[in-house]
Amino acid sequence: MRGSYWLTLIVSLMALSPDFVLSSALGLLRPTIAEGLGTSPGIIFWVSILSNAALALGAVLAADLAQRFKNRPLFMIYQSVFIVGSAASFLAPNPVTLILGHTLQGLATGLLLVAALPPLVTGFPAFRLKTTVPAVVIGLFGAVTAGPLVGAYIALSGAWRMLFLATAVIGVATLALALLSLAEREPLNPGARIDASALLLSAGGVGFTFVGVGSLLGAGAGSPAFYVPASLGLVMLVVLVILEGTRREALMPVRPLTTTFPVMGILAAVISGAAFTALLELTLLFLERVRGLGAPAAGFLFWPEIVTGIVGAGIVGFVLTSRWVLTMPLFGMISLSLAAWGLTGITTGTGDLRILVIAAALGLGASLTVTPGLLMAALSVPPMLVGRAIALVELLRLVSAYTVGPVLVYVARSFGSRGQGLLTGLHVSYWIVLGFMLAGMLVITLIYLRGGARLHPPGLETFLEEGEPAFDSPPVKKRPAVEPE
C-alpha cells in the first residue's frame, strides 16, 4: 500500500477538506455556538479569524520545514496537530479553548497544504494529473461550497460540537491511512539556510492584518485598533514580496514567479478567492437580515454551488492537457462577475430562484479560477519549487480571501443593520466586488498582451521527467528583439 496513488490522493483530500468545510460553515453557526458557550457571536467571530490567519502562516512554515526534513514524519506530526485541535474544539468548555482548538486546526491544514499537494503533483506520472487536478478542485473548493449546507444542517439541530467531533474522527482515520500509504520523500534541500526574515515578515504580516480585520466589526474603521495593525500587516507583506524578490535563494520564490503566466494565475487566484468569499458572506447576510430567513434556510439555498463546482472540476480536468487550460481563470472570473452583477439588483422581494442561479455561478467561478490559477503558477517553475510556490500563492490568496469579506460586510452594515438600510449597503458592497473583478480581468489581459505570451499545452512530461517548467512563460514585459549586425 505504500506509495499507492489512489490512497495518497484520498489521504490528501481527507487531510485538507474538513477545515475548508468549517471555514464556510461556521459563519452560520456563530449564534448557535455563542449560545452554547454563554458568550456573544462577536467573540465567536475570532474563532474563524485566528484560524484563517494560522492557515495562511502554516503554508509558509511548511515550505521551510520541507527543505530540511522528510515529508512522511512531517505529515504525521501535522495531522496529529489537527486531531488535537479538533478534540479541543469538540470538548471546549469556553470560547478561549474553542479559539485555541480551531486555530490549531487552521495551522495544521496550512502545514498539510504544502505537505500533501506538492508530492501529489510531482510524485506520480503525468497522466495521473488528469485525475489529481479535478480531485483537488472538488476536495478543496467543493469543501468550501459544501460548508453552507453543512452549517445549515448543524444549525437545525444545534449540535455544533458534533461538527468538530466529525473532524476529529476524520483526522484519526486520515492518520491511520497515512501511516499505511504515504511514501517516504527526502528533504528537498537539507543544506538550505533558515530564511528568518521571510518567516518573521510572514508571521507579522498575517498576524497584524487578521487582528486588525478582526477588530473592525467591533471597533469600527476609524479606530486605531483596526487601521494600525491592518496597515502594519499589509506593509510587512509587501516588504516580504519585495525582499524575497531580491534574493536568489529565497524561501518564497518570487523571482521565478514574476513571468507572465504565474503573475496571471496568482492575480486570478487572489482576486477571485476574495470575491467568492465576500459574495458568499454578503449573500448570507442578505438572506438572514433582509429576507429574514433562518440560518438553515439560508444555507440550503447554496446547494447549486456543489453541483457547478463539480462541473467546473470536470472542465478543468478535460482541458488540462490543452492550451485552453490557461484560459480557465478568465472564464471563472467572468462567472464570478456575473454573480456579482446579478446580486447588485436584488431586492427584498428577490425569490429563491435568483439566489440559486447566483449560487451556481459562484460555484462554477470558484472552481475555474483558484485551483487553475494556482496550477499556472506551480507548473511555471521547476518541480523542486512547487511547494514553495504553492506556499506563496496560498499566503497571498488566503489573506485576501479572509480579510476582504469582513471589510465588505462592515461596509454593508454601516448603512444599517437590517431592512432597506442594510440592503443599500449590500448593493454598495456588491458593486465594489464587481468593479474589483472587472479591473482584475483588465489587468490580467494587459499582462498577457504585454508579455507577448502564447497559449500552449503544458509540457507535463517535461515537467515531471526533466525537472523543467511545464509552461513556457515569457517575462511580463516583452523584451525587444535584437537586430543582427
Side-chain angles (χ1 to χ4, degrees):
M1 299 173 68
R2 182 70 62 85
S4 162
Y5 167 75
W6 290 106
L7 282 179
T8 302
L9 177 64
I10 291 170
V11 165
S12 299
L13 298 182
M14 288 177 64
L16 298 175
S17 297
D19 193 66
F20 284 99
V21 172
L22 289 174
S23 69
S24 54
L26 291 183
L28 290 169
L29 296 175
R30 285 176 197 143
T32 304
I33 297 173
E35 182 180 354
L37 293 178
T39 187
S40 67
I43 297 296
I44 303 302
F45 177 65
W46 283 97
V47 174
S48 298
I49 281 288
L50 295 180
S51 177
N52 293 332
L55 176 62
L57 183 59
V60 178
L61 181 59
D64 180 77
L65 294 174
Q67 303 303 300
R68 278 175 293 283
F69 300 100
K70 293 182 178 181
N71 186 68
R72 180 180 164 86
L74 286 178
F75 187 99
M76 306 306 170
I77 293 171
Y78 302 159
Q79 190 61 38
S80 299
V81 171
F82 181 82
I83 295 169
V84 171
S86 300
S89 301
F90 165 62
L91 298 170
N94 52 57
V96 173
T97 306
L98 179 61
I99 289 172
L100 290 174
H102 192 42
T103 300
L104 283 179
Q105 287 184 302
L107 176 64
T109 302
L111 293 164
L112 287 163
L113 265 173
V114 176
L117 291 187
L120 195 59
V121 171
T122 63
F124 297 94
F127 75 90
R128 291 295 192 189
L129 288 173
K130 293 279 285 184
T131 303
T132 299
V133 172
V136 169
V137 175
I138 295 172
L140 298 188
F141 295 97
V144 173
T145 57
L149 271 74
V150 173
Y153 178 78
I154 297 297
L156 281 175
S157 64
W160 60 269
R161 291 184 186 273
M162 294 300 102
L163 184 57
F164 289 104
L165 177 61
T167 63
V169 172
I170 293 172
V172 171
T174 303
L175 182 62
L177 277 177
L179 287 169
L180 292 172
S181 61
L182 284 192
E184 193 80 77
R185 288 172 60 93
E186 295 299 318
L188 297 174
N189 188 6
R193 64 178 182 83
I194 297 176
D195 194 340
S197 60
L199 294 174
L200 290 174
L201 286 169
S202 299
V206 168
F208 284 119
T209 301
F210 277 88
V211 167
V213 171
S215 303
L216 177 62
L217 296 182
S223 170
F226 162 64
Y227 63 77
V228 171
S231 300
L232 181 58
L234 292 175
V235 168
M236 293 179 77
L237 290 174
V238 171
V239 172
L240 168 69
V241 173
I242 294 174
L243 184 62
E244 294 293 276
T246 64
R247 297 175 175 174
R248 290 189 176 274
E249 297 297 330
L251 174 62
M252 301 286 95
V254 174
R255 295 179 68 175
L257 290 172
T258 52
T259 58
T260 300
F261 290 134
V263 172
M264 291 170 59
I266 292 171
L267 285 175
V270 170
I271 294 170
S272 300
F276 171 79
T277 305
L279 292 174
L280 180 62
E281 291 184 17
L282 291 166
T283 306
L284 286 171
L285 185 63
F286 164 78
L287 294 172
E288 292 187 79
R289 298 293 182 89
V290 177
R291 280 192 51 186
L293 300 182
F300 284 131
L301 283 176
F302 283 87
W303 66 263
E305 281 190 337
I306 299 177
V307 177
T308 54
I310 294 173
V311 171
I315 293 172
V316 174
F318 182 75
V319 303
L320 179 64
T321 55
S322 75
R323 61 179 178 169
W324 302 112
V325 69
L326 292 167
T327 68
M328 289 298 100
L330 178 61
F331 286 109
M333 294 181 78
I334 292 173
S335 182
L336 290 173
S337 298
L338 290 174
W341 177 71
L343 287 165
T344 61
I346 58 175
T347 66
T348 53
T350 296
D352 290 352
L353 179 60
R354 186 167 187 166
I355 300 299
L356 292 172
V357 172
I358 288 169
L362 287 174
L364 183 63
S367 64
L368 293 181
T369 51
V370 181
T371 298
L374 180 62
L375 190 70
M376 286 172 67
L379 295 183
S380 296
V381 298
M384 289 289 290
L385 296 180
V386 166
R388 289 149 63 187
I390 288 176
L392 177 60
V393 177
E394 286 297 286
L395 171 67
L396 300 176
R397 184 187 72 82
L398 292 167
V399 169
S400 68
Y402 294 122
T403 57
V404 171
V407 170
L408 290 177
V409 167
Y410 172 81
V411 170
R413 286 182 170 178
S414 65
F415 288 80
S417 59
R418 289 184 181 275
Q420 189 59 45
L422 177 58
L423 183 60
T424 300
L426 288 168
H427 284 160
V428 171
S429 294
Y430 288 138
W431 278 110
I432 291 173
V433 174
L434 180 57
F436 189 49
M437 292 297 299
L438 295 176
M441 286 191 288
L442 177 61
V443 170
I444 289 172
T445 302
L446 291 176
I447 289 173
Y448 174 75
L449 296 174
R450 186 172 178 81
R454 61 178 183 84
L455 298 181
H456 62 279
L460 300 179
E461 289 79 9
T462 301
F463 176 73
L464 293 174
E465 296 172 9
E466 301 177 20
E468 297 293 331
F471 289 119
D472 179 15
S473 182
V476 172
K477 182 177 181 180
K478 186 178 181 180
R479 296 188 179 95
V482 178
E483 294 291 338
E485 298 181 359

